[in-house]
Each structure stands twice: as C-alpha cells, then as structure tokens.
Amino acid sequence: MTRPRDPNELRKLPRALRALRWRLPLELSQLFARLTFRPFGRCCNTTALSEYIPERGALFEDTTVTAGQREMLLRALKATETIELPVVEVGAWRGATTAVLAGATTRLVYVVDPYKDASGAEADMQMMHDRTRGLTNVKHVRLSSGEAVKMLAHEHFSFIFVDAIHDYLNTWFDFRAWGALVVKRGMIAFHD
C-alpha cells in the first residue's frame, strides 16, 4: 500500500500546485460525500443500536467529547485490552481524554500533538502534561500526525483515537496512515 500524502507536506507546495493536489481533491471528495450521503437511520435498524449508543450527555471541562462519547471510547478501549500493544491518541488539546484513556489501561499511550500554530498552544500543552503527570504510561510525541506516523511506522497498535484536525483531508489521511498500523481485532475511533 502506498503511504498517503501528509496534508502538512501539501501545504508547502506552491499555491497553484496546492490547488491541484490538495484543494481540488478535497472539494471533489466533499461533493461526492454530499451526493452519496445516506442518513444513518436509513442504513441500519437504529432501534437495535440504542443499547450501544448512549445519550450524548454533558461536555466535560477542556474537551468537546461528551459523556456518551467518552463511554463509547472506554468501551472500545476495553474491547482491545487483551491486545498487549500500545494505544495512540492523535490530537490531545488539554489532555482530558488522554487522562481518561491512560487511566483506564496499563498499556503505553502515545499522545501525538505538535502544539504549534495556535494561540495558547504552550499553555494547552502544559495543561495536558499537568493532567497526565501521575500517569506513567503516557508518552507525548510532539510532532504532527504525519511526522509521528513516520516515526512510529515500525510499531503496531491495539487502539487509536483520532481527535485532531476535523476536516476531511486530515481525517482521511489519519485513517489511511494510522489505520495501517492497527492490528487485527484492534480498533480506530474518530471524534466528529
């Protein structure tokens, strides 16, 4: 399988090439998504899923992950507990979900977040470190998703949670790049 093109590398291209290699595919893929979209309720019997999809619930401090989403995340993490391989969280912001994930497993949890290009990034990183200080299984990888997946390409993972840049291009990249490193019976989860 060919390695997907890192969106951060695409941003370094001259404007005209960027439009052809990045913007045009993004616009076409979003158009395709709109044309082929089917509401979840039309694809599946949602009454059978009510047991598995909890109410959204309240938001927690310093995260947009709701109580219901956190419950689903913890269920997925628990389902992979027998796989003795590390966990990855791509995008940590202030470490709220990082602390929950690392606190619920003894496996090594790689936290991938470069903390750059945003106002308050250093303060956010410090909050993440403060929140995870007592958790010895947390390892912060201060790189972009593309740089980190290259660095960790020799590893395999039991569970990956992607909560990074919430656009189609970056999410598709994370799915292709990180998904290739998930072992059989492992899981990859996305926020939004």
Side-chain angles (χ1 to χ4, degrees):
M1 181 172 82
T2 60
R3 179 168 280 159
R5 190 92 185 252
D6 184 352
N8 286 318
E9 294 299 317
L10 292 172
R11 287 184 182 96
K12 296 174 185 174
L13 294 173
R15 187 178 293 264
L17 279 176
R18 196 174 6 177
L20 286 174
R21 296 280 305 171
W22 182 30
R23 197 71 210 170
L24 184 62
L26 176 64
E27 294 295 331
L28 288 173
S29 64
Q30 289 178 340
L31 175 63
F32 178 75
R34 276 189 232 107
L35 292 173
T36 60
F37 174 76
R38 292 177 68 191
F40 190 71
R42 290 181 53 200
C43 301
C44 303
N45 178 358
T46 56
T47 57
L49 293 174
S50 62
E51 173 186 345
Y52 301 105
I53 301 178
E55 293 299 318
R56 287 183 109 17
L59 291 174
F60 294 97
E61 185 179 358
D62 294 329
T63 182
T64 57
V65 174
T66 66
Q69 293 166 344
R70 183 173 81 169
E71 182 185 329
M72 293 300 293
L73 194 57
L74 288 172
R75 284 183 188 183
L77 183 69
K78 185 177 180 183
T80 63
E81 196 64 37
T82 58
I83 306 170
E84 291 294 323
L85 290 171
V87 171
V88 176
E89 179 182 24
V90 182
W93 190 38
R94 295 182 174 166
T97 53
T98 307
V100 168
L101 288 171
T105 188
T106 57
R107 292 173 282 174
L108 176 62
V109 177
Y110 286 103
V111 181
V112 176
D113 201 313
Y115 290 104
K116 64 180 182 180
D117 300 336
S119 64
E122 290 295 322
D124 293 337
M125 182 178 70
Q126 187 58 48
M127 288 179 89
M128 188 275 292
H129 285 291
D130 290 345
R131 226 179 221 123
T132 59
R133 185 167 321 255
L135 300 165
T136 58
N137 59 334
V138 174
K139 180 176 173 70
H140 181 203
V141 179
R142 192 173 182 181
L143 297 171
S144 71
S145 177
E147 294 164 335
V149 81
K150 284 179 194 172
M151 183 186 99
L152 297 171
H154 63 284
E155 297 255 7
H156 292 288
F157 301 100
S158 57
F159 183 73
I160 297 174
F161 175 48
V162 178
D163 190 10
I165 300 175
H166 297 251
D167 67 22
Y168 183 85
L169 183 65
N170 284 281
T171 304
W172 180 246
F173 169 79
D174 288 337
F175 172 70
R176 295 269 321 274
W178 289 101
L181 302 179
V182 176
V183 295
K184 187 175 181 176
R185 295 184 352 265
M187 288 190 200
I188 185 167
F190 295 85
H191 186 242
D192 292 344

